[in-house]
Amino acid sequence: MCEGDVPRDNVVIIDTNMPMQPLRRPITADSALMNPNSRILALKAQLPGTTQDHLQIFNIEAKAKIKSHQMPEQVVFWKWITPKMLGLVTQTSVHHWSIEGDSEPVKMFDGTANLTNNQIFNYRCDPTEKWLVLIGIAPGSPEILQLWWKNSSI
């Protein structure tokens, strides 16, 4: 296949149980996250000319959009924190977005000033979702952690 024949704006999903049967979808997105337990795909795309991100969640088997949301600011880090919950980190705050129901992302806490404009490389929560930790690094500085519990930052 020549370089000109490579499809653009495609997401390729490779099931590790069936690696020889990749699933290709014509989707335009800056980032895609596959759910760790089901065939649910989350997509993130920056809206042209803005600092806002458009988020979408799809059920691949049902070929249906589950939900979508336009974040008022750019999501700088995101991951599945549970099989039914996405963790979304912006420059100023951390949100949780459930794939169930029609709820919008819920703000969990504000980020500390020393994490603003730095590289976030992980976000985790305990099974009760009471203990949350945001991990980042700043150039020339040691690793920065922000630990959050219930309604306070430690």
Side-chain angles (χ1 to χ4, degrees):
M1 182 182 282
C2 297
E3 184 177 328
D5 297 335
V6 176
R8 299 209 183 270
D9 299 330
N10 273 284
V11 172
V12 179
I13 301 165
I14 300 172
D15 185 337
T16 55
N17 294 323
M18 302 179 298
M20 300 308 289
Q21 299 175 7
L23 179 64
R24 298 178 194 279
R25 291 288 180 251
I27 299 169
T28 300
D30 299 326
S31 180
L33 291 176
M34 192 71 190
N35 186 290
N37 291 3
S38 61
R39 295 180 62 96
I40 303 288
L41 180 67
L43 300 171
K44 177 173 74 85
Q46 187 172 2
L47 296 172
T50 73
T51 58
Q52 300 175 341
D53 278 332
H54 185 73
L55 307 174
Q56 298 181 82
I57 301 175
F58 290 91
N59 180 321
I60 295 170
E61 289 177 342
K63 297 182 180 178
K65 181 166 53 172
I66 297 172
K67 61 193 327 183
S68 67
H69 180 74
Q70 186 172 319
M71 289 293 287
E73 59 183 311
Q74 188 175 11
V75 175
V76 296
F77 182 85
W78 67 325
K79 71 180 278 188
W80 290 100
I81 54 173
T82 73
K84 297 192 180 281
M85 184 85 62
L86 277 165
L88 308 170
V89 181
T90 70
Q91 287 289 350
T92 61
S93 56
V94 175
H95 305 258
H96 286 181
W97 192 27
S98 172
I99 65 171
E100 298 178 323
D102 59 356
S103 64
E104 295 183 354
V106 175
K107 183 175 171 180
M108 301 308 293
F109 62 92
D110 289 318
T112 61
N114 60 345
L115 282 172
T116 303
N117 295 319
N118 291 313
Q119 182 181 355
I120 304 300
F121 61 87
N122 204 357
Y123 174 65
R124 301 200 49 176
C125 68
D126 76 324
T128 67
E129 295 180 35
K130 289 184 180 179
W131 286 97
L132 312 171
V133 64
L134 181 61
I135 307 166
I137 191 164
S141 299
E143 183 175 66
I144 301 168
L145 299 172
Q146 181 177 356
L147 183 61
W148 185 85
W149 179 71
K150 290 187 181 182
N151 293 325
S152 63
S153 181
I154 299 175

